[in-house]
Amino acid sequence: MGTRGRQKAMSFDQWRIALVVAAVILAVIATYSLAGLVAVWSVRGRGHWFWKTAAVLTFPALWLFTSDPRLCLFLLSEIAVVLMWFWTLEGRSDRTTSASTADGPDAPRGGYSLASLLLAFVLLSGVLAMLARLPPEVRWDWYQDVVPGGMMGAATIVAVWIAESKRSAWLRALVLVIAFPAFLMGAWLWLARSARGPFGRATAVAALVLIAVLPARVYYIAFKDRSLAYPPPLANNGYVDLLRAGAAIDNLAANIDTLPPDELRAYLSKQQTALELVRSGLAIPCQAVLHEGMNDKALWAEGNQFEKLSQVLAAQARQELQDGHVEAAVENYLADIELGAAMTHGGVMMHDGFGFVSERLGIEGLQQIVSRLDDDACRKLEERLLEIDADREPTEASRARERLYFSRSYPWKHRIHILTRAFAPNEAQTDDILMVAAGGEKRARVRLLACHLALRRFWLSTNGYPQTLDELVPRYLASVPLDPFADHVLMYKKLPTGYLLYSIGDDRVDDSGTPSAPFALPVPKGDIVVAVVLPAAKTDVPNEIETGASNATENVP
C-alpha cells in the first residue's frame, strides 16, 4: 500500500507539473495572440482608423506599468508588422481600383487630409512616449524584443491567411504546424468568420474572453512587482572601500591554502593595503552597489575579489594564532563574518552566495579558538555576533532585488519566472530556495556560535554545562536565540561527555543532531551542529577541533 501510495503521489506531481507547463506555454501564446487579434481588428473592424489604432496601442502601453516594461517593445513590433502588412495590401488595392476607374466620371482625386495628418502625428507621439518610458538598456539590446515581436507579427498574418484562404485544408494545416504560434489566432478567426446568429456570436465572444484570461493573469502578477527598485545609494558607502580592497590584492590567483609557512607570511605582507581598506570599509555602513547595467560577469568579478579577501583574512588569522596573538586572530575571523554580511546588504543572490562563503570561513575559524577565550573576550565576541545577526536584512528584500536584477539583465528568463508565479504560486523557484536556505544557514551559524560562547562562559563560571539553555538567561544571554528554520529556540542536549547544540536545518526536520551533508542540493538532510566533547582527563592543552563543511566538534579541557 505504501509503495502504491508513493507511486500515485509521484504520478500526481508529474501531472501537476505537466499542467503547469502547459498553462505557461498557453499563456505565452495567448498573450501574443491577443495582441495580434487586436491588431487585425484595427485593420478589419469598423470605426474611425484613429480610434482603432489608439485602442491597439493601449494594449502594449499597459505593460509599461509592470515589472516587465520591455514587453511593450515586443508587442509594438508585433502590431507594427500586422498594421504595415495590411495597410500595404489596402494601399495596393486602392491603387488598382483607382487605375481601373481613372477614366470614369467618378475617378477619385489624389490628396490628403490635414486632419488625418494631425491624428497620425498624435499617434506617433504616443508611440515615441512609450519608447521613452522603456528602460535605458533597451537601446543596446532592442533586437531581443523587436525580432521575436516581428516573428509573432508574421505568425499573425499567417493565422489570417489560414482562416480566410480557400486553399486546401491540408495545406493550411501543414502551414499551421510550421507556424504553430498562430494556431490560437487562426482558430478564433475561423470561429468568428463561421459564427452565425446570436449563439455563434456569443460563442466567439466567450472564446475571446477565455483567450484574454491568461494574459490578464500574467499582467496581474507582473503588475504586483512594478514597485521593485534598487535601494538608494549611501552617501558614505563602505562597500566602495571593499571594492578597492579587492582590487588591491596582490596575486589574486594564488592558492593561499597550499602555500608553505614562509611563502604565506611573505604573501600576507603584500596584502596590508587590502587589509587596511577592508577594515576602513567595515567601520562604516555598507551597501552593495547596483546599477542599470549590472550583469553576472561584473558580479562574478566582484565576488571573486571578495572571496579572495575572505581567504586573506582567514589566513591572517591563522598566522596570528601561530604567533600567539589570539585577540588579533579573533578580529580577523570576525572581520570575515562582517565582510560576508556587508557584501550581502543591499545585494542580490550572487552577493548572498559569496557572503555565505566569507561568513563560513570566519565562523569555522572562531569555533576553533572559543576554548582559548576568557569570559570577557567571549562576552564581547558574543555581543558583536548578535549585532550582526540583528542588522541583517530580511531574505525577502534580497529576493525582491534579485527579481528586479533578473528582469533587467535577463528579460526572457524573467518572463518565465512571472509565468511560473502566475500559474504555480506555491512552486518556489530554485533561486528562491537557495536564497532562503543560505540566508537561514547564515543566521543559524551566527546564533549557534553566540550560544556556544555563552555556554563557554557558563563553563568558566561553574565548571559544567546547564541542563537547558534557559539557564543562560539573563546572565550570559539576553534571550535564547531562535532557530531560523523553526518556530522555537535552538536545540540543546546536555551529554555525559559534553553537549550537542544544533539547528534543525533547511529540511525543517529534527534529526537529533545528525550532521547534514555539506552542500547537498536542493535541500540538505540533517542538522547544523556544534558538538562539544569533554576529554577523558582535564588538561591545560589547547582544544582540538574537527571542523566539517557544516558542523564542528570540539574537545574542551
Side-chain angles (χ1 to χ4, degrees), residues 452-463:
H452 182 34
L453 289 164
L455 288 166
R456 166 68 177 171
R457 295 175 62 199
F458 191 96
W459 168 271
L460 292 173
S461 298
T462 66
N463 201 35

Side-chain angles (χ1 to χ4, degrees), residues 23 26-31 33-34 59 63 184 205-221 419 422-423:
L26 189 58
V28 172
I29 297 176
T31 302
S33 297
L34 189 61
F59 183 75
W63 295 88
L184 201 58
V205 172
L208 185 61
V209 171
L210 288 176
I211 294 174
V213 165
L214 295 177
R217 176 65 178 170
V218 176
Y219 180 87
Y220 172 72
I221 297 300
L419 290 165
F423 299 102

Side-chain angles (χ1 to χ4, degrees), residues 487-521:
D487 56 357
H488 53 70
V489 298
L490 295 171
M491 305 297 292
Y492 169 79
K493 294 180 180 180
K494 183 182 178 182
L495 305 174
T497 58
Y499 67 80
L500 202 61
L501 178 68
Y502 63 93
S503 161
I504 64 173
D506 193 44
D507 62 352
R508 269 72 172 180
V509 176
D510 185 354
D511 296 292
S512 301
T514 302
S516 62
F519 301 108
L521 296 176

